[in-house]
Amino acid sequence: TYSPAAPKVRQTVYFSGTVTGGTPPISYTWTFGDGGVGSGQYVSHTYLVSGTRNVTMTASNACGSSNRVLPVAVEPLRVYLPLVLRAY
């Protein structure tokens, strides 16, 4: 899973990996679809460019490994500036 559900550019995204079954210890590795990588059950990542990224979590133990790919849509950062009007 990841949070927030609709991440924006330069916003930290928090990922959580969960495995049902399997024999501990289980290790987790991540690729974030933009060249970034991470390890651990809980990781965070910040995207610098908008677009959809395929995030891959791989869970491994002594018996082998399994992965899950999840698309993450990163929205562009929108900055709203105040509008100043002058009457002449």
Side-chain angles (χ1 to χ4, degrees):
T1 63
Y2 66 93
S3 176
K8 294 182 178 25
V9 169
R10 298 193 184 277
Q11 182 178 31
T12 301
V13 184
Y14 299 93
F15 295 90
S16 173
T18 304
V19 174
T20 55
T23 304
I26 297 173
S27 64
Y28 299 83
T29 57
W30 302 78
T31 60
F32 298 111
D34 65 351
V37 296
S39 64
Q41 186 174 4
Y42 305 101
V43 295
S44 63
H45 186 69
T46 302
Y47 291 96
L48 301 179
V49 178
S50 63
T52 299
R53 305 288 182 260
N54 287 321
V55 176
T56 303
M57 180 204 75
T58 302
S60 305
N61 67 5
C63 298
S65 65
S66 180
N67 63 20
R68 169 116 192 253
V69 178
L70 183 66
V72 175
V74 180
E75 298 178 359
L77 180 64
R78 292 185 171 89
V79 177
Y80 297 96
L81 300 175
L83 181 61
V84 178
L85 300 173
R86 292 186 175 178
Y88 291 97

